[in-house]
Amino acid sequence: MPPELPPTEIHDEPYSTTCACGCQMRHIGKDVVETLDYTPGHFTVERHIRDKWACDSCETLVQAPVPAHIIDKGIPTAGLLVQVLVARYQDLLPLYRQEGIFSRAGLAIPQSPLAQWVGQSGVHLQPLVDAPKTGVLAHPVLHADAPGGDARPGCGQDAPRLPVVLRRRGVRSDQGGGIRLRRQPRRPSRPGIPG
């Protein structure tokens, strides 16, 4: 990590420093892990310090568990990953531009690690993508209204909307499933029944 970024030290201690045999453990060392965080406009370093405690009589070693990370043994925190993903997909900011922005903020992160972070985050987010798809495909028919008016030239927002029907037709599970979109014209209103 660059020395000009002041770290925020976070001490992670075990629940108890008393051994199961009843003896008080002594401090024998510590592990230090540094992660990189991003607050809009500047980077910060989180330094996690995990002290090691050992029992002299039964030679038991105790240490706090490693804090959970989205990318195992990686330096980005969840805040930095969120910043990269939101800038990439919500703000449509390519990774090479983010590289330049991060460089001006004080830390040059090349495109290749940024791309790896995006890919690994995508793997972790895949269940959130699959959950709605599974719910939609569980139903034989789903009716929805098109979000806008008719897309033909000359038709404004007052034009009648065309319903969209999502149907699952004879798709086997080994084929991967799918959603077919089919436009259906709106039925003409019958006399006495509002259309």
Side-chain angles (χ1 to χ4, degrees), residues 39-71:
T39 305
H42 66 280
F43 288 97
T44 58
V45 174
E46 291 181 355
R47 181 176 292 154
H48 292 268
I49 301 171
R50 297 171 39 237
D51 291 324
K52 297 178 182 178
W53 296 83
C55 177
D56 288 331
S57 62
C58 66
E59 298 181 1
T60 302
L61 178 69
V62 174
Q63 189 174 27
V66 177
H69 292 285
I70 295 174
I71 299 175

Side-chain angles (χ1 to χ4, degrees), residues 11-19 24-30 49-54 60-66:
H11 290 271
D12 298 316
E13 296 291 337
Y15 294 116
S16 173
T17 57
T18 303
C19 186
Q24 180 64 33
M25 296 183 174
R26 64 182 172 88
H27 187 263
I28 61 167
K30 59 186 168 188
I49 301 171
R50 297 171 39 237
D51 291 324
K52 297 178 182 178
W53 296 83
T60 302
L61 178 69
V62 174
Q63 189 174 27
V66 177

Side-chain angles (χ1 to χ4, degrees), residues 126-142 166 168 173 176-179:
Q126 189 62 43
L128 294 176
V129 174
D130 292 340
K133 179 181 173 185
T134 304
V136 168
L137 292 178
H139 302 285
V141 177
L142 174 68
L166 304 175
R168 184 175 174 225
S173 61
I179 299 174

